[in-house]
């Protein structure tokens, strides 16, 4: 993880936008992606990081995204990336276990889009 992405996490925690344990969880998940060979930088994973932080906090606070106007478009795009959807679902299961936070399907699918994009960037390296 590069310095800028680490700063992003610190800002979310320091400003109180996200609980410290959620920041720790996301940092650990990013470290796992990094260890698996993904390039985890502000450029490649900044949006993924923000989305995951805020999705987990929204879900914890009872304000999870349950309707998304473009959900069918997202589903169609993910049909070509089943591995990203599986990866996002596994991450959601770990979040439920570690944080007692349930991410609804819409959030998991949106997270899967970020993971699919990360993989596409890796393929272009």
């Amino acid at each position: 993880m590069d310095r800028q992405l680490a700063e992003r996490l610190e800002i979310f925690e320091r400003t109180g936008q996200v609980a410290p344990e959620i920041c720790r969880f996301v940092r650990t998940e990013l470290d796992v992606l990094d260890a698996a060979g993904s390039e985890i930088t502000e450029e490649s994973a900044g949006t993924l990081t923000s989305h995951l932080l805020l999705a987990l906090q929204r879900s914890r606070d009872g304000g999870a995204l349950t309707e998304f106007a473009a959900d069918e478009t997202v589903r169609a795009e993910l049909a070509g990336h089943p591995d990203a959807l599986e990866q996002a679902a596994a991450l959601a299961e770990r979040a439920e276990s570690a944080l007692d936070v349930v991410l609804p399907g819409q959030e998991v699918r949106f997270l899967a889009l970020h993971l699919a994009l990360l993989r596409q960037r890796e393929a272009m390296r």
Side-chain angles (χ1 to χ4, degrees):
M1 175 181 321
D2 68 2
R3 181 186 54 77
Q4 288 177 311
L5 189 57
E7 285 177 6
R8 179 185 291 256
L9 284 161
E10 291 169 13
I11 289 168
F12 271 96
E13 184 175 348
R14 187 175 61 241
T15 60
Q17 295 177 67
V18 177
E21 60 273 15
I22 290 176
C23 285
R24 283 191 300 273
F25 175 82
V26 171
R27 182 181 303 276
T28 298
E29 290 295 322
L30 294 171
D31 288 344
V32 168
L33 287 170
D34 188 51
S38 295
E39 182 181 11
I40 303 302
T41 65
E42 174 65 23
E43 183 179 344
S44 68
T47 306
L48 162 67
T49 300
S50 291
H51 177 256
L52 182 54
L53 288 165
L54 293 172
L56 289 167
Q57 190 65 54
R58 275 193 308 269
S59 293
R60 176 180 266 187
D61 293 344
L65 178 65
T66 57
E67 292 186 32
F68 185 58
D71 198 43
E72 289 307 313
T73 303
V74 170
R75 286 177 193 265
E77 179 64 29
L78 288 173
H81 304 280
D83 52 337
L85 191 53
E86 289 173 13
Q87 187 179 14
L91 192 157
E93 287 176 15
R94 290 189 298 276
E96 184 173 6
S97 176
L99 301 168
D100 198 29
V101 172
V102 176
L103 288 175
Q106 290 83 353
E107 294 279 16
V108 174
R109 286 187 291 279
F110 203 64
L111 178 58
L113 282 178
H114 289 292
L115 293 169
L117 179 59
L118 185 62
R119 286 192 176 176
Q120 286 178 335
R121 286 180 176 189
E122 291 169 12
M124 293 177 9
R125 283 195 284 171

